[in-house]
Amino acid sequence: MLRQHRSLQEQQQQQQQQQPISDELPLSDVNLVVLTDVHSWIAGHERHEPWMNVNYGDVLAFYQHLKEQIRISQQPIDLFMVMNGDFMDGTGLSTVPPKYLTPLLEEMPFAIINLGNHELYDDKTVDWIRQDFIPHWHGNYLTSNTLVAATGEPLGNRYTYLRGEYSTLLVFGFLYNFQDYCPSTVVE
């Protein structure tokens, strides 16, 4: 009886995995899962916004599930995960420099990361990001209009190509007309 129960349970799991992508979540040829303005709340933010409370584990599980559903569907669909900046300021993980936060972010499967204004408030944060964080992303840390003041060179890359299985995207990482940046940077 126990063996039959496990077999039935395994069959149900297999059927759930083979179900087509939900009609409730329409997908296109190219799809982005975008995180923005997390402000170091990687474990969620229940106290302030309970209706939006998810943690990085939830986001990662959603992304992996969606990716698996796309694979099972055998449809020509690309999926990319994007961090749209502002990972600084919010919890104790957001130290200056962010030496405790960035190793956690490096575990996420981000295709690209854009610079947010909260990363530009302190020179020590900028230096840490330049030396210890940007190299991890192999050209996919984007700062299209944010420069190192001393050299005039972009802090990260101005653009990159995201190459999926079925598509190639030219992507930029512009920051709005931000004026309150630290002395080591310039926003054009």
Side-chain angles (χ1 to χ4, degrees):
M1 181 71 169
L2 184 59
R3 177 140 174 82
Q4 289 176 332
H5 176 70
R6 285 186 182 157
S7 177
L8 179 60
Q9 191 176 30
E10 289 171 0
Q11 289 174 4
Q12 288 172 337
Q13 287 175 347
Q14 187 177 12
Q15 287 172 351
Q16 287 174 349
Q17 290 176 348
Q18 292 177 348
Q19 290 177 350
I21 297 169
S22 170
D23 291 335
E24 296 175 23
L25 184 61
L27 295 175
S28 187
D29 296 343
V30 177
N31 301 275
L32 304 174
V33 174
V34 179
L35 273 71
T36 188
D37 296 273
V38 176
H39 295 286
S40 76
W41 290 95
I42 63 171
H45 202 214
E46 183 176 357
R47 189 179 84 212
H48 296 155
E49 297 164 349
W51 60 93
M52 295 192 302
N53 185 44
V54 298
N55 60 42
Y56 270 29
D58 297 325
V59 172
L60 182 58
F62 171 74
Y63 173 77
Q64 290 172 336
H65 176 75
L66 195 53
K67 196 169 186 167
E68 178 64 12
Q69 293 302 309
I70 290 169
R71 186 192 65 76
I72 290 169
S73 77
Q74 298 181 344
Q75 296 177 30
I77 295 174
D78 283 325
L79 177 67
F80 302 99
M81 184 180 258
V82 176
M83 164 52 88
N84 209 27
D86 282 354
F87 62 79
M88 290 293 295
D89 299 330
T91 72
L93 287 174
S94 184
T95 59
V96 174
K99 61 185 175 182
Y100 303 110
L101 181 60
T102 52
L104 299 170
L105 296 175
E106 289 172 356
E107 296 299 317
M108 296 296 285
F110 296 126
I112 58 169
I113 292 187
N114 294 321
L115 178 73
N117 65 297
H118 283 258
E119 285 82 66
L120 293 179
Y121 289 133
D122 192 285
D123 287 326
K124 290 178 189 172
T125 298
V126 171
D127 288 343
W128 179 272
I129 288 172
R130 283 182 65 202
Q131 295 171 17
D132 294 288
F133 191 56
I134 290 175
H136 174 80
W137 301 103
H138 307 286
N140 287 349
Y141 190 94
L142 303 180
T143 61
S144 299
N145 64 331
T146 305
L147 310 176
V148 177
T151 65
E153 294 294 318
L155 186 63
N157 276 5
R158 288 191 185 264
Y159 67 92
T160 192
Y161 292 96
L162 285 184
R163 299 184 197 289
E165 190 173 343
Y166 305 101
S167 60
T168 299
L169 307 174
L170 173 62
V171 292
F172 298 89
F174 286 101
L175 186 61
Y176 69 96
N177 188 20
F178 181 60
Q179 300 296 316
D180 196 23
Y181 46 84
C182 61
S184 65
T185 60
V186 174
V187 177
E188 295 182 315

